[in-house]
Amino acid sequence: MDGRAGDAEPKGPPVVGVVHLAPLPGSPRGGAPLTVIVDAAVRDAEAYRDGGATALIVENFGDAPFRKGAVDPHTVAAMALAVHAVAAAVSLPVGVNVLRNDAQAALGIAAMAGGSFVRVNVHTGVMVTDQGIVEGEADRSLRYRRELGASVAIWADLLVKHAIPLGDQTLEDVARDAVERGLADAVILTGVATGRPPSPDDARRVRDVLPGTPIYVGSGVTAGNARAFLPAATGFIVGTWAKLDGKVGNPVDADRVRRLIDAVRG
């Protein structure tokens, strides 16, 4: 992983499985009891573990349409319970992503519930999204992490999916800003939408300007395309493809995870 987000280095590129939480209480499609949601999250986490995943990341995927900034306190509480349950069930590093962009909530959940890293969709810069204009708040995130005294790594998306940049910056400029000015511990490349991969050439471009930074491919990863991103990419974040029949609403399929691991590690 990246020095803060894991134990021993894996054999081959790390593969991080996304635990998509069902709609949480209070969200537009919410309704299931929290115990049912948490139990399903634990089952997905165990399937990722059984398939050989290196780490996990828990996100409130079912809460669409997302808040562009701070989420409600009950969402933070529900996610903390889910993260704690997942971390207790599997001996893998666990990350947190509070959609759309509540980095402080993610850091607080990780610090209190046993998380090792957080994913921040817009850490630096400004993106136009379906939630509106989302601004990076790296300064607040880093100060809050220091205030917590938490050893929690920040993984920052570069030109995140389902968004376009406000302004004209190259991918290289965005990557440099995320690490050199935003102090991100790792960066994530995505395609334009969930399940859509970035270009392998983009991974090479980012690697050229960030030779020492972990780079993860964060969308559209499959057993058929993963190796095209090597050796530029450090590792992979997989969600949709790991599900039964490759459908995002289905449970995680340990056999599909295993196929991806085998493809990535050759």
Side-chain angles (χ1 to χ4, degrees), residues 161-258:
K161 58 190 173 182
H162 298 288
I164 57 173
L166 185 61
D168 186 16
Q169 273 190 305
T170 67
L171 177 61
E172 289 85 351
D173 288 339
V174 171
R176 288 191 191 95
D177 278 353
V179 173
E180 295 174 4
R181 297 172 67 83
L183 307 183
D185 300 293
V187 297
I188 301 169
L189 279 172
T190 65
V192 298
T194 299
R196 300 275 295 277
S199 164
D201 184 57
D202 285 347
R204 291 187 285 270
R205 290 169 61 191
V206 174
R207 176 56 68 208
D208 285 344
V209 298
L210 298 178
T213 300
I215 300 169
Y216 287 84
V217 179
S219 71
V221 176
T222 73
N225 69 13
R227 291 197 63 82
F229 295 94
L230 300 174
T234 304
F236 303 91
I237 299 172
V238 62
T240 302
W241 196 86
K243 302 298 187 71
L244 186 68
D245 298 325
K247 296 181 178 180
V248 70
N250 286 344
V252 174
D253 182 343
D255 288 337
R256 287 179 71 92
V257 177
R258 216 169 278 119

Side-chain angles (χ1 to χ4, degrees), residues 1-147:
M1 306 291 284
D2 83 283
R4 293 197 207 179
D7 300 319
E9 287 297 312
K11 296 178 180 178
V15 173
V16 182
V18 182
V19 176
H20 292 128
L21 295 178
L24 296 173
S27 68
R29 294 177 295 175
L34 185 57
T35 52
V36 173
I37 295 169
V38 171
D39 287 347
V42 169
R43 288 195 297 272
D44 278 352
E46 291 171 339
Y48 277 121
R49 177 202 59 199
D50 294 346
T54 311
L56 305 171
I57 184 164
V58 178
E59 64 176 38
N60 56 326
F61 182 81
D63 283 354
F66 305 114
R67 295 280 179 83
K68 71 175 182 178
V71 300
D72 292 316
H74 60 267
T75 301
V76 178
M79 290 194 68
L81 290 171
V83 170
H84 183 267
V86 166
V90 299
S91 57
L92 295 174
V94 178
V96 183
N97 185 19
V98 181
L99 298 166
R100 172 70 155 156
N101 207 55
D102 195 343
Q104 289 196 68
L107 284 163
I109 292 166
M112 298 299 115
S116 300
F117 62 100
V118 298
R119 179 177 184 173
V120 183
N121 286 178
V122 184
H123 183 57
T124 55
V126 183
M127 300 292 288
V128 180
T129 76
D130 51 311
Q131 292 80 34
I133 294 176
V134 177
E135 300 180 36
E137 296 185 334
D139 61 321
R140 294 184 65 192
S141 299
L142 291 162
R143 284 172 171 78
Y144 185 54
R145 182 173 70 177
R146 173 61 64 88
E147 181 181 339

